[in-house]
């Protein structure tokens, strides 16, 4: 983005109407199209803010919901599709039809069960509607499934996050502590846009990232897909989402992140740690996650796509996912301000995401960690970095989960 | 301007607000394991209040210091609806405090009768909290579920009551934005014209510029709320 365009964008956001809602109310903010912000279908990008007069800290949660680089997935069709293909309704936070993704303790100021210290902070929810893990900078025309009716997809994730952060700075001011968190696609998004948001908000206190189930696996272009199974995915999204374009994230990282290797998207996490040594970076995922791993590999490997049965499918997935996790955690462990928490299995949502619904079933019993909760507190409170990977644990298959997880499963089954 | 108080606190982080006693925010919550199933409620009986505690109008609401409440009042005074806004804030903070006590009581194994009384008082305020956009739908559903767990023993009946409650209380998605249909009609025309060009003449950057201009034309009146 040019300097003049950045200035005019900021002026637009300053000129936008001031917050109208009161404290402790979810306020919808619709970003002006002149900022470049858009949902995948071209509709205006909307996000939500819940302010408090009792704290100067801010917690920003990035929604997850798949990804897309083809027509059907961008239209929300099929198992491996992107969420919210028709944009974000103005009453997204209050709507019964779209609220499943909103259930995370990080956006619940009044959670009946799960307490998190950031629930008393100013809360921001960034919905996900661009199919690009909040990272893209490209308008694509997809006609691979329905040539007569092409889908124009606005992969504008980066512009959405940037404009939202500028709105927050203009209307809420400079925060004290800052937490960026997100699950699934939001885990990736909060990671890759961390330097942008941090640079705009410029928190005066601790800044922390807690990225849930959205890992950027090591995948150098000098290697092969046999060595680095996430390489085909990385190559695909770089082109599809315009990451290498003039305003693309990879291009921007060159001037923002020390230690970032443009030939390996997996170096982003370490580069963040090096660039912001006083910040804390926490990463989480489940060993038996069959959702993020499916997005990572299924469309690129025939033995997964054509697996004869679920057992063969899982075996083919895990033959890539588990080595990727091992490389990822080994690399993360080399940075002084990075933590990770990798439990084995949770019987909800394909073991995908630790921070949705609540934290039950996210412990690593062998390490004496009852749930991901202590990990969250440790990162926020700057305890010694926690680096735990749960070994194979059959007990996870039968562990008792909270009634809220049961409710989520019931509702999910009703919907599907 | 409601962001004013935050600006004030930012001026002196970690310091008491100007103009009064030090703030007394509620203790920071720690991340804890979610509550187990309430089946077979324990009977230990910690002392808990059983209703939404309505502080006298001269006292600040729970979790708010006098100085903080004074600042909130001063800020609200700039609004045309100041009395109603202060009333809403007070009601919200009292209800939120009741939820905290309900959560603590469950975690401490309070008596079933006390939990049920707290649950009923929460339930009575729930619809208003939703109406005021103070809860997300997911949050409200979890609270209603927690309330039903201590007030309705039968699991099937609970599920049915939750379903009926959600249908009645949670909003349907708003109708589609009328600007969107017009935008998409014109977008189809733009893309069709671009697609009709010889492949060598199709410039993706030019298409993006044209679509962007159309977007701004279609949605540029947007503001907040």
């Amino acid at each position: 983005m040019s300097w003049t365009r950045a200035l005019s964008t900021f002026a637009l956001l300053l000129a936008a109407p001031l917050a109208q809602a009161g404290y402790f109310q979810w306020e919808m903010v619709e970003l002006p199209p002149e900022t470049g912000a858009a949902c995948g279908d071209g509709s205006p990008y909307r996000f939500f803010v819940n302010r408090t007069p009792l704290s100067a800290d801010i917690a920003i949660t990035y929604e997850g919901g798949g990804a897309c680089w083809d027509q059907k997935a961008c239209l929300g069709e099929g198992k491996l599709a992107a969420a919210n293909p028709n944009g974000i309704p103005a009453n997204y936070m209050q709507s019964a039809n779209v609220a499943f993704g909103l259930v995370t303790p990080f956006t619940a100021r009044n959670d009946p069960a799960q307490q998190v210290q950031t629930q008393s902070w100013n809360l921001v929810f960034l919905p996900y509607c661009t199919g690009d893990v909040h990272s893209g900078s490209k308008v694509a025309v997809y006609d691979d499934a329905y040539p007569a009716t092409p889908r124009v997809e606005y992969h504008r994730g980066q512009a959405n996050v940037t404009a939202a952060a500028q709105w927050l700075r203009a209307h809420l001011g400079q925060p004290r502590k800052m937490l960026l968190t997100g699950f699934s696609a939001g885990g990736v998004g909060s990671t890759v846009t961390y330097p942008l948001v941090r640079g705009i908000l410029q928190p005066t206190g601790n800044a922390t990232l807690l990225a849930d189930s959205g890992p950027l696996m090591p995948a150098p272009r000098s290697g092969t897909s046999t060595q680095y199974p996430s390489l085909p995915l990385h190559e695909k999204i770089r082109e599809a989402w315009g990451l290498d374009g003039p305003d693309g994230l990879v291009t921007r990282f060159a001037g923002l992140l020390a230690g970032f290797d443009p030939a390996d998207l997996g170096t982003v996490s370490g580069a963040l740690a090096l660039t912001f040594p006083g910040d804390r970076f926490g990463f989480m995922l489940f060993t038996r996650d069959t959702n993020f791993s499916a997005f990572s590999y299924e469309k690129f490997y025939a033995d997964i796509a054509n697996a004869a049965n679920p057992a063969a499918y899982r075996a083919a997935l895990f033959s890539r996912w588990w080595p990727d996790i091992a490389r990822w955690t080994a690399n993360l462990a080399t940075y002084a301000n990075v933590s990770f928490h990798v439990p084995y299995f949770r019987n909800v949502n394909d073991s995908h995401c630790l921070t949705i619904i609540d934290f039950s079933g996210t412990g690593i019993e062998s390490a004496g960690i009852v749930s991901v909760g202590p990990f969250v507190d440790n990162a926020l409170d700057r305890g010694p970095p926690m680096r735990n990977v749960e070994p194979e644990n059959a007990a996870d298959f039968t562990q008792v989960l909270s009634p809220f997880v049961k409710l989520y499963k019931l509702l999910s089954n009703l919907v599907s | 301007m409601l962001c004013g108080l935050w600006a004030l606190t930012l001026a002196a982080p970690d310091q008491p607000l100007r103009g009064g006693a030090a703030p007394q925010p509620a203790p920071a919550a720690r991340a804890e394991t979610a509550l187990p199933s309430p089946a077979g409620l324990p009977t230990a009986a910690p002392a808990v209040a059983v209703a939404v505690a309505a502080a006298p109008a001269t006292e600040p609401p729970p979790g708010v210091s006098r100085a903080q409440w004074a600042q909130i009042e001063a800020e609200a005074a700039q609004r045309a609806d100041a009395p109603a806004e202060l009333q809403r804030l007070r009601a919200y903070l009292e209800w939120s405090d009741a939820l905290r006590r309900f959560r603590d009581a469950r975690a401490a194994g309070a008596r079933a009768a006390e939990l049920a009384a707290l649950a009923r008082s929460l339930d009575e305020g729930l619809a208003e909290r939703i109406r005021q956009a103070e809860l997300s739908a997911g949050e409200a559903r979890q609270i209603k579920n927690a309330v039903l767990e201590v007030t309705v023993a039968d699991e099937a009946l609970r599920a049915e009551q939750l379903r009926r409650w959600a249908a009645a209380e949670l909003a349907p998605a708003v109708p589609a934005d009328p600007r969107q249909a017009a935008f998409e009609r014109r977008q189809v025309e733009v893309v069709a014209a671009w697609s009709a060009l010889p492949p060598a003449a199709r410039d993706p950057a030019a298409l993006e510029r044209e679509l962007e201009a159309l977007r701004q034309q279609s949605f540029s009146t947007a503001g907040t709320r």
Side-chain angles (χ1 to χ4, degrees):
Chain A
M1 180 184 288
S2 71
W3 180 236
T4 49
R5 186 177 167 200
L7 272 179
S8 61
T9 297
F10 192 66
L12 268 170
L13 290 162
L14 276 175
L18 289 172
Q20 295 300 306
Y23 292 121
F24 307 116
Q25 290 179 307
W26 283 105
E27 176 178 16
M28 186 277 287
V29 179
E30 181 177 305
L31 291 169
E34 292 84 355
T35 62
C39 277
D41 65 347
S43 62
Y45 183 69
R46 301 180 175 105
F47 70 102
F48 300 86
V49 183
N50 186 310
R51 295 171 306 121
T52 171
L54 307 178
S55 171
D57 304 329
I58 190 167
I60 303 176
T61 301
Y62 294 58
E63 187 180 32
C68 72
W69 47 83
D70 59 54
Q71 189 172 10
K72 282 190 174 180
C74 288
L75 288 167
E77 297 178 8
K79 184 186 75 162
L80 300 178
N84 298 314
N86 302 317
I88 303 300
N91 71 340
Y92 192 62
M93 296 301 278
Q94 271 74 44
S95 173
N97 300 332
V98 291
F100 296 113
L102 304 177
V103 183
T104 161
F106 288 108
T107 55
R109 200 183 282 292
N110 294 283
D111 196 301
Q114 190 67 61
Q115 291 180 267
V116 182
Q117 56 181 287
T118 57
Q119 286 164 344
S120 62
W121 296 12
N122 292 277
L123 304 179
V124 178
F125 184 74
L126 299 180
Y128 177 49
C129 58
T130 48
D132 60 0
V133 299
H134 301 270
S135 71
S137 303
K138 182 174 177 177
V139 177
V141 179
Y142 295 114
D143 61 0
D144 51 291
Y146 312 110
T149 54
R151 161 81 173 188
V152 179
E153 184 74 15
Y154 295 79
H155 291 302
R156 289 284 180 80
Q158 187 201 155
N160 294 347
V161 172
T162 300
Q166 288 171 334
W167 187 96
L168 291 168
R169 180 65 193 265
H171 292 87
L172 276 70
Q174 191 175 10
R176 189 172 58 175
K177 293 180 187 173
M178 179 192 85
L179 169 68
L180 298 195
T181 186
F183 52 89
S184 189
V188 189
S190 55
T191 302
V192 298
T193 61
Y194 185 91
L196 309 181
V197 176
R198 195 193 192 292
I200 293 166
L201 294 184
Q202 297 184 308
T204 59
N206 284 347
T208 306
L209 170 72
L210 287 169
D212 176 11
S213 300
L216 282 155
M217 298 299 191
R221 281 178 153 172
S222 58
T224 68
S225 60
T226 304
Q227 295 170 296
Y228 301 102
S230 292
L231 192 54
L233 169 72
H234 289 190
E235 291 300 314
K236 171 59 75 175
I237 62 174
R238 289 176 79 133
E239 188 278 328
W241 301 341
L243 302 185
D244 292 296
D247 293 331
L249 269 184
V250 171
T251 308
R252 297 193 66 186
F253 283 163
L256 287 172
L257 293 180
F260 172 67
D261 178 1
D264 183 357
L265 296 187
T267 60
V268 170
S269 306
L272 287 173
L274 290 174
T275 307
F276 305 107
D279 295 2
R280 183 61 66 88
F281 301 90
F283 300 93
M284 303 156 258
L285 54 76
F286 281 104
T287 300
R288 292 190 72 92
D289 184 328
T290 52
N291 180 296
F292 196 90
S293 55
F295 273 98
S296 298
Y297 315 126
E298 186 175 318
K299 290 184 177 179
F300 306 104
Y301 296 97
D303 63 317
I304 299 175
N306 303 320
N309 54 59
Y313 175 84
R314 282 194 298 274
L317 273 188
F318 292 151
S319 72
R320 293 164 176 102
W321 180 241
W322 290 347
D324 256 350
I325 293 176
R327 262 187 299 273
W328 179 68
T329 51
N331 177 260
L332 293 177
T334 63
Y335 299 96
N337 52 341
V338 172
S339 299
F340 50 82
H341 181 84
V342 185
Y344 188 64
F345 175 86
R346 177 162 79 153
N347 188 18
V348 64
N349 199 39
D350 302 325
S351 286
H352 182 49
C353 302
L354 290 76
T355 62
I356 58 168
I357 315 166
D358 60 33
F359 296 165
S360 74
T362 62
I364 299 181
E365 290 75 12
S366 58
I369 303 169
V370 296
S371 78
V372 73
F375 178 82
V376 169
D377 281 335
N378 174 275
L380 291 166
D381 296 340
R382 299 299 192 259
M386 296 172 72
R387 292 165 181 158
N388 291 298
V389 178
E390 185 171 38
E392 182 174 347
N393 182 11
D396 275 2
F397 293 128
T398 53
Q399 66 186 328
V400 177
L401 301 175
S402 76
F404 301 100
V405 173
K406 286 192 211 166
L407 171 67
Y408 175 88
K409 293 181 74 168
L410 173 69
L411 293 170
S412 299
N413 290 337
L414 287 175
V415 169
S416 61
Chain B
M1 182 166 70
L2 283 178
C3 55
L5 182 58
W6 197 21
L8 178 64
T9 63
L10 287 168
D14 294 324
Q15 297 298 315
L17 292 171
R18 285 177 292 180
Q24 301 157 3
R30 318 302 298 171
E32 295 165 356
T33 306
L35 292 171
S37 168
L41 287 169
T43 54
V48 290
V50 294
V52 172
T58 53
E59 294 293 316
V64 181
S65 71
R66 286 181 184 279
Q68 287 172 322
W69 189 243
Q71 293 289 347
I72 291 169
E73 287 180 316
E75 195 175 332
Q78 299 171 38
R79 296 173 60 123
D81 62 346
E85 178 63 3
L86 287 171
Q87 193 174 26
R88 180 193 68 79
L89 280 170
R90 180 177 289 279
Y92 166 80
L93 289 164
E94 289 170 349
W95 183 88
S96 186
D97 184 63
L99 178 71
R100 180 190 58 75
R101 286 183 285 122
F102 172 74
R103 186 174 56 210
D104 292 350
R106 287 187 84 190
R111 278 202 304 262
E114 290 181 351
L115 276 175
L118 272 169
R120 278 192 295 273
S121 69
L122 280 179
D123 205 21
E124 286 165 7
L126 189 56
E128 179 63 8
R129 304 280 70 83
I130 294 170
R131 194 182 72 77
Q132 294 287 356
E134 293 159 352
L135 304 172
S136 73
E139 196 176 9
R141 198 194 303 266
Q142 296 228 30
I143 293 167
K144 183 66 180 183
N145 189 51
V147 163
L148 289 172
E149 279 173 351
V150 301
T151 55
V152 179
D154 182 74
E155 190 171 350
L157 183 59
R158 231 172 24 228
E160 174 58 18
Q161 288 197 14
L162 184 67
R163 188 195 64 75
R164 277 192 279 141
W165 169 85
E169 297 294 336
L170 301 182
V174 292
D177 186 335
R179 298 171 297 178
Q180 186 68 16
F183 163 71
E184 288 184 358
R185 274 195 303 274
R186 295 177 63 190
Q187 181 177 251
V188 166
E189 295 168 6
V190 170
V191 173
W194 183 79
S195 300
L197 294 170
R202 291 179 204 159
D203 176 7
L207 174 66
E208 183 164 348
R209 282 194 299 272
E210 195 170 354
L211 291 172
E212 191 53 36
L214 175 60
R215 279 193 67 250
Q216 294 189 20
Q217 198 176 39
S218 302
F219 299 113
S220 63
T221 56
T224 56
R225 236 179 208 257

